[in-house]
């Protein structure tokens, strides 16, 4: 499978715990995005990378959230001191700009439940 | 106001019918548009890209109206497998291609 992969697929944690999610993008894609999706809503942008550089963080991303892409390949998203409001699907997408256009391809997501 | 607005539906249609729905966007600088399909508890999957006035792919046709700032999606000869939520997406090169999603339109095709 050469698509975007995410691990774990599901995570249940207690409030106050830290969690980390991983995303492996399509190998030739240099751009990687993180989104959060709650029930009945479309995905909301959180942050993105071009190679290893984190170019933007949404105001949705509080100080408890941090993302890295250390070698420009896989990325991790960490949530510290989780809150019940963090429960959501966390989606990763990868892309490559070609001819002034970009198409994003999504991974299967990590579904987080904070108890 | 959300950047991309969609009629949430649901649109319940019989198999073989034609169904169409619109999406409006507020940022006139939006240049690229996409329709993604999302099945329950799954990730969004790209259905169609729309860069000019429209695009057609088999039973699916997307039309873009820049003057009125809306995009439509039409599904002909609906199949049971077309039942899903359809997400309308806009992006701007000036905003470094970040995607703005609508909340989705739910379509249910019944036998």
């Amino acid at each position: 499978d050469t698509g975007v992969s995410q691990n774990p697929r599901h995570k249940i944690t207690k409030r106050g715990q830290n969690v980390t999610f991983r995303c492996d993008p399509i190998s030739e894609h240099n751009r990687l995005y993180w989104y959060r999706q709650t029930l009945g809503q479309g995905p909301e942008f959180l942050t993105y990378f071009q190679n290893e550089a984190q170019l933007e963080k949404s105001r949705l991303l509080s100080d408890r959230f941090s993302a890295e892409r250390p070698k420009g390949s896989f990325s991790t998203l960490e949530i510290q001191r989780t809150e019940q409001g963090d429960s959501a699907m966390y989606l990763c997408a990868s892309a490559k700009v070609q001819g002034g256009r970009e198409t994003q391809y999504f991974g299967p997501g990590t579904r987080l439940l904070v108890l | 106001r959300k950047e991309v607005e969609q009629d949430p539906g649901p649109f319940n249609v019989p198999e073989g019918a034609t169904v169409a729905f619109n999406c409006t966007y507020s940022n006139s600088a939006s240049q690229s548009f996409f329709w993604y399909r999302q099945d329950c508890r799954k990730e969004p999957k790209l259905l169609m890209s729309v860069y000019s006035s429209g695009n057609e792919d088999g039973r699916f046709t997307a039309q873009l109206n820049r003057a009125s700032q809306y995009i439509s999606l039409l599904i002909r000869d609906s199949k049971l497998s077309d039942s899903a939520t359809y997400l309308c997406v806009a992006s701007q090169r000036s905003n470094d291609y970040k995607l703005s999603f609508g909340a989705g339109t739910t379509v249910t095709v019944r036998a």
Side-chain angles (χ1 to χ4, degrees):
Chain A
D1 187 354
T2 57
V4 180
S5 62
Q6 291 186 247
N7 287 290
R9 297 290 303 278
H10 301 89
K11 179 71 178 179
I12 301 173
T13 192
K14 292 183 180 179
R15 191 176 52 188
Q17 298 294 305
N18 299 343
V19 295
T20 299
F21 309 142
R22 175 176 169 133
C23 171
D24 287 88
I26 294 170
S27 59
E28 65 265 30
H29 288 181
N30 64 341
R31 294 165 71 98
L32 187 150
Y33 296 79
W34 285 99
Y35 293 85
R36 180 170 66 191
Q37 186 176 24
T38 53
L39 197 62
Q41 300 298 317
E44 293 177 297
F45 167 79
L46 293 179
T47 188
Y48 80 113
F49 294 83
Q50 180 157 301
N51 301 313
E52 65 275 9
Q54 187 173 18
L55 298 185
E56 186 175 334
K57 291 173 63 171
S58 163
R59 56 181 171 77
L60 294 175
L61 221 60
S62 77
D63 291 344
R64 298 183 295 103
F65 289 70
S66 62
E68 293 182 342
R69 194 181 182 199
K71 296 181 181 178
S73 56
F74 73 92
S75 175
T76 58
L77 178 68
E78 181 183 16
I79 310 173
Q80 296 182 321
R81 305 181 303 283
T82 52
E83 301 173 356
Q84 288 182 324
D86 297 332
S87 297
M89 169 90 99
Y90 290 84
L91 291 159
C92 173
S94 75
K96 182 171 67 173
V97 178
Q98 273 186 317
R101 294 176 176 174
E102 180 186 272
T103 302
Q104 295 184 22
Y105 297 91
F106 284 83
T110 295
R111 191 171 295 276
L112 173 67
L113 177 61
V114 182
L115 302 175
Chain B
R1 183 186 172 192
K2 294 191 76 173
E3 189 167 334
V4 178
E5 305 260 15
Q6 293 184 249
D7 180 345
F11 288 77
N12 293 304
V13 299
E15 214 173 351
T18 295
V19 59
F21 40 91
N22 288 345
C23 152
T24 58
Y25 61 95
S26 60
N27 190 337
S28 59
S30 296
Q31 299 161 300
S32 300
F33 303 89
F34 307 88
W35 283 102
Y36 279 80
R37 171 204 168 114
Q38 187 169 31
D39 294 296
C40 188
R41 304 181 71 82
K42 301 282 189 179
E43 75 273 25
K45 292 192 174 175
L46 181 67
L47 178 68
M48 191 174 291
S49 306
V50 186
Y51 298 109
S52 57
S53 60
N55 196 3
E56 184 172 333
D57 183 4
R59 297 181 295 107
F60 297 85
T61 301
Q63 296 278 2
L64 170 62
N65 185 318
R66 290 191 186 274
S68 301
Q69 294 186 204
Y70 76 82
I71 314 110
S72 63
L73 182 68
L74 182 146
I75 308 174
R76 283 184 298 276
D77 188 23
S78 299
K79 311 290 185 194
L80 295 175
S81 57
D82 294 334
S83 298
T85 295
Y86 291 85
L87 298 167
C88 176
V89 188
S91 76
Q92 306 96 38
R93 189 172 180 173
S94 60
N95 198 22
D96 210 15
Y97 307 103
K98 291 190 296 293
L99 301 182
S100 296
F101 282 83
T105 297
T106 299
V107 173
T108 302
V109 181
R110 61 183 189 275

